[in-house]
Amino acid sequence: MDATWALEVMDKAPYITVSMTDVNGMPYSVPLSLARKDEQTFYFHCATEGKKLDILRTNPFVCLSAVSKCKPTVGPKDGSFTLEFKSAIAFGRAEIVTDDTEKREALRAICQRFLPKHMDAFDAAVERSMSRTAIVRITLSEPPVGKRKQYDTNGDELKYGRME
């Protein structure tokens, strides 16, 4: 599936797993609450110290993966046990944000995505937590791609980018 479709999956996913590699070549993956600024920029927040930041300082390359639908099912025509899903993957480079204006904009995007009904409390919350919050910007190095398994109303699998 194309980049527009993959970005929609990432927007709807409850979290996005960010995978990275430490200096010893060990993989490290963590599900995070990411918000998207545009077609190539994502943000997440975390504590100002920790394993994620240590790894990203030495190796900023990351892989993002998301699933926005995952439902076990029985194939409508052949009775096979299967899984309907929508997934997306993207690659990029992570950078710790140091500019306070960008940090505030990133936090606003994260809060708007996950707590849109509580934006009236945003300014006070940011004032309380800004000094102990790190922001990481991930810039995609190429457009994301997606994959799915889904059936139409006739029980035929939607293949090769065919939409409903």
Side-chain angles (χ1 to χ4, degrees):
M1 303 298 287
D2 68 16
T4 301
W5 190 91
L7 287 169
E8 184 178 315
V9 168
M10 292 179 148
D11 289 342
K12 291 180 179 178
Y15 58 86
I16 297 174
T17 300
V18 179
S19 300
M20 53 200 88
T21 307
D22 72 14
V23 294
N24 298 314
M26 288 297 293
Y28 184 74
S29 296
V30 61
L32 297 168
S33 302
L34 272 71
R36 182 166 64 95
K37 175 183 173 185
D38 54 38
E39 284 73 26
Q40 66 178 31
T41 310
F42 289 81
Y43 290 104
F44 70 84
H45 74 293
C46 59
T48 57
E49 296 180 17
K51 187 169 185 165
K52 286 186 299 294
L53 296 180
D54 292 345
I55 291 172
L56 294 174
R57 284 184 184 104
T58 59
N59 184 359
F61 300 104
V62 296
C63 176
L64 308 179
S65 63
V67 178
S68 67
K69 176 184 179 181
C70 187
K71 183 178 94 174
T73 191
V74 175
K77 292 204 170 180
D78 64 5
S80 63
F81 288 24
T82 190
L83 188 68
E84 284 189 299
F85 65 89
K86 293 181 180 182
S87 65
I89 189 167
F91 299 91
R93 183 180 184 96
E95 184 177 358
I96 300 166
V97 175
T98 57
D99 177 73
D100 282 348
T101 301
E102 185 177 2
K103 284 177 72 171
R104 183 175 285 278
E105 290 172 6
L107 287 168
R108 184 176 302 282
I110 293 166
C111 289
Q112 186 65 47
R113 177 173 182 215
F114 293 100
L115 292 169
K117 294 179 181 176
H118 299 280
M119 292 307 291
D120 57 325
F122 173 78
D123 290 326
V126 168
E127 290 308 314
R128 286 191 308 272
S129 64
M130 183 74 108
S131 65
R132 63 180 190 271
T133 303
I135 298 293
V136 176
R137 176 191 335 104
I138 296 173
T139 305
L140 300 186
S141 55
E142 57 193 68
V145 295
K147 188 173 180 179
R148 72 171 177 194
K149 182 163 195 174
Q150 187 175 344
Y151 296 96
D152 66 15
T153 55
N154 294 324
D156 293 318
E157 187 176 347
L158 294 168
K159 289 189 175 191
Y160 312 112
R162 188 178 74 120
M163 302 309 283
E164 292 88 303

